[in-house]
Amino acid sequence: MFADRSDLLADADPVRGYGVAVTPGRDGPLVFVAGYGEANRLYARTGGADAPFVDTACGIVADDGRHAMGVCAADLDADGCEEIYVHNCANSVGVAGDSDLLLSRLEAGGYRWTDTFARPVNADRLNFRAGRSVAALDRLGTGRYGVAVASFGAPLAFYELGDDGEASDMAAAIGLSVDDGCRSLLPGPLWSPRTDLFVGVEGGPNRLFRNEGGHFEPIAGGSALADPDGDARGVSLVDEGGRFALTVGNWEGESRLLRRTDSGLYRDDAPPAFRATERVRSVVAADFDNDGRQELFCNAFGVTNRLFERVDPVDDRSGEPQWIATSAGAAAEAGGFGTGAVAADLDDDGVVELLVVHGEVAAQPISVYAVPGAAGNGWLRVRPTTTHGAPARGATVALTTDDGTMSRQVIDAGGGSLCQTEPVAHFGLGDNTPLRVSVRWPDGRELTLEDPSPNATIEVPHPAAETTLQ
């Protein structure tokens, strides 16, 4: 299915990397790649629309003296521009090693950065806990985000910024209490319409927290979600025709496809081929071929990557969608040591690329893949923003087309394990025509647009923002 598009990057140097996050830049997306024991990368397109992406990282962004792993972007200070939180982790467990990095832009959309944790006010507030993933949550629906940091052998952390840039760990105060071996974090409408949080655990039960107006309450999601014998890594929400399923890729156990039942609990409906997908590091859900249905890409470590496509029942009421294995093409990477993967339209052609980072035991070049011919299908991209003008991560976008089908996506606030995809809802249309788009922000506000134009990117400001749709 996939063909190699690594020519979109100007260099093919081997990288020992982990997480990757995509955030808007001045001339298109910025792609931050976490370097483990080597410099971080910040890929940007600086030479025009047809130029490849080049590494612009230097100084504190490159930060080549530490060991970066999980990364996410979000607007923590409500200035309308996303910061980048980088979790550094030189040790595997406990409290020691490298402190984290919080990169703030000195100019909107530009490439001048400062480290918020380096401010004097944060001298005694650095995070030295060993962990893996990070994720952004707008817990109050104000457009001001906090960052959860999964810790291993230490309590989970949740950082919020004050107006003076002071970073405070609010985890205990807001109910996010987890002391187990956290590996994965996934925010989204998992139990309530708000931004809830799934915590994937190694060597113990997974956790689910419901957002109760900014305070989090632990929820028993059922034995399949808890999965105490699994070692959760890649986690993703995938659309199944207007409903979400939660996918959990386990490292040394069976992977899960969890559907919420009428009782509110989750059950495991993973087909045998998906269940047998082991050594998973990332699970990416995206419509790579623009046919109107998302695919599931399982990025594995040291074994072949897997790709699954959705097959809907002939009668929409006759049963659940099925997921079948299909060829990953060049993205199979049988000899790859994949550590992170994301989806993003890097070249602004209406086709989502797959970017895979490698590392841990051996440095390997970053890979980029795309589906040939996908540009021949229609598409629609929706970019909701907060009241401050930043990406509205955690917002839910629903699309209805003329054939009566519905699709839903959550603007990624943290893609499960180490990574975070672009803050855009990308819908393939196939031959269909979009009828309406509905956006629901983390504060519960909603807005519906009728008859959106296909093959376009629509920015949807928050209803309370000063800007309005033209």
Side-chain angles (χ1 to χ4, degrees):
M1 185 180 192
F2 287 108
D4 189 11
R5 285 302 319 275
S6 299
D7 60 297
L8 288 171
L9 302 182
D11 65 74
D13 300 333
V15 179
R16 192 181 180 199
Y18 274 94
V20 54
V22 183
T23 182
R26 183 177 55 211
D27 303 304
L30 299 178
V31 181
F32 185 98
V33 177
Y36 190 81
E38 62 176 79
N40 301 319
R41 310 275 179 108
L42 183 65
Y43 287 100
R45 176 167 272 168
T46 61
D50 296 326
F53 284 76
V54 298
D55 179 19
T56 65
C58 60
I60 191 59
V61 177
D63 194 32
D64 57 4
R66 287 185 273 193
H67 300 75
M69 297 198 76
V71 57
C72 76
D75 185 6
L76 275 71
D77 55 7
D79 67 348
C81 188
E82 290 197 313
E83 285 71 49
I84 298 178
Y85 191 105
V86 185
H87 176 54
N88 293 303
C89 179
N91 54 308
S92 60
V93 64
V95 180
D98 298 335
S99 62
D100 290 350
L101 182 67
L102 180 53
L103 296 170
S104 180
R105 295 179 223 200
L106 296 177
E107 55 182 273
Y111 310 123
R112 298 175 59 238
W113 304 79
T114 184
D115 178 16
T116 299
F117 278 131
R119 295 182 180 182
V121 70
N122 291 320
D124 61 346
R125 295 170 179 267
L126 303 181
N127 181 45
F128 290 96
R129 306 175 205 191
R132 293 297 183 269
S133 301
V134 292
L137 289 87
D138 180 6
R139 65 183 180 92
L140 294 171
T142 62
R144 189 165 192 153
Y145 290 79
V147 173
V149 185
S151 302
F152 202 97
L156 181 147
F158 185 80
Y159 283 101
E160 292 183 337
L161 291 185
D163 289 338
D164 59 353
E166 183 180 46
S168 298
D169 180 7
M170 302 291 293
I174 65 174
L176 288 178
S177 178
V178 183
D179 294 324
D180 292 337
C182 301
R183 294 290 190 183
S184 308
L185 298 169
L186 184 70
L190 298 157
W191 192 271
S192 74
R194 304 180 182 89
T195 303
D196 307 316
L197 182 66
F198 172 87
V199 180
V201 175
E202 177 178 312
N206 301 322
R207 306 287 204 279
L208 180 61
F209 292 90
R210 180 178 62 197
N211 185 346
E212 292 285 354
H215 190 274
F216 291 86
E217 299 290 338
I219 294 296
S223 59
L225 182 139
D227 196 15
D229 295 326
D231 290 331
R233 292 296 194 274
V235 187
S236 179
L237 280 176
V238 62
D239 172 64
E240 293 193 317
R243 299 184 65 182
F244 289 124
L246 174 62
T247 60
V248 182
N250 282 320
W251 171 243
E252 294 179 322
E254 296 179 341
S255 293
R256 311 295 182 190
L257 191 145
L258 303 171
R259 292 175 173 140
R260 196 173 176 194
T261 66
D262 293 339
S263 67
L265 303 180
Y266 283 85
R267 70 170 186 266
D268 180 20
D269 287 345
F274 186 84
R275 183 173 290 120
T277 304
E278 297 185 353
R279 300 178 68 85
V280 175
R281 286 300 182 89
S282 303
V283 179
V284 181
D287 188 355
F288 293 105
D289 57 5
N290 281 346
D291 70 345
R293 297 183 299 274
Q294 288 186 325
E295 289 79 47
L296 279 172
F297 176 78
C298 295
N299 176 31
F301 183 85
V303 296
T304 302
N305 297 329
R306 305 288 299 277
L307 183 68
F308 297 87
E309 61 182 4
R310 193 182 95 207
V311 177
D312 294 331
V314 175
D315 181 348
D316 289 342
R317 299 180 181 179
S318 65
E320 302 283 1
Q322 300 299 309
W323 292 91
I324 63 172
T326 188
S327 172
E333 291 191 344
F337 296 104
T339 50
V342 295
D345 183 1
L346 298 176
D347 54 358
D348 194 29
D349 65 348
V351 174
V352 169
E353 280 80 35
L354 170 69
L355 186 146
V356 182
V357 177
H358 313 87
E360 189 160 315
V361 299
Q364 294 179 324
I366 298 169
S367 302
V368 181
Y369 303 100
V371 176
N377 289 328
W379 51 273
L380 181 68
R381 291 167 60 77
V382 183
R383 191 191 305 271
T385 57
T386 67
T387 55
H388 312 292
R393 295 189 184 269
T396 300
V397 184
L399 169 71
T400 303
T401 62
D402 61 345
D403 69 345
T405 62
M406 176 180 285
S407 303
R408 294 175 71 208
Q409 294 181 32
V410 175
I411 304 300
D412 191 24
S417 179
L418 306 181
C419 302
Q420 185 190 55
T421 62
E422 63 177 351
V424 181
H426 177 97
F427 298 98
L429 298 175
D431 295 327
N432 298 320
T433 300
L435 293 183
R436 68 186 61 86
V437 168
S438 298
V439 179
R440 190 183 195 281
W441 281 265
D443 65 354
R445 298 282 191 95
E446 296 188 39
L447 183 67
T448 297
L449 306 178
E450 302 289 343
D451 299 319
S453 298
N455 303 330
T457 299
I458 303 173
E459 183 168 309
V460 186
H462 188 282
E466 294 183 2
T467 56
T468 57
L469 290 172
Q470 300 298 317

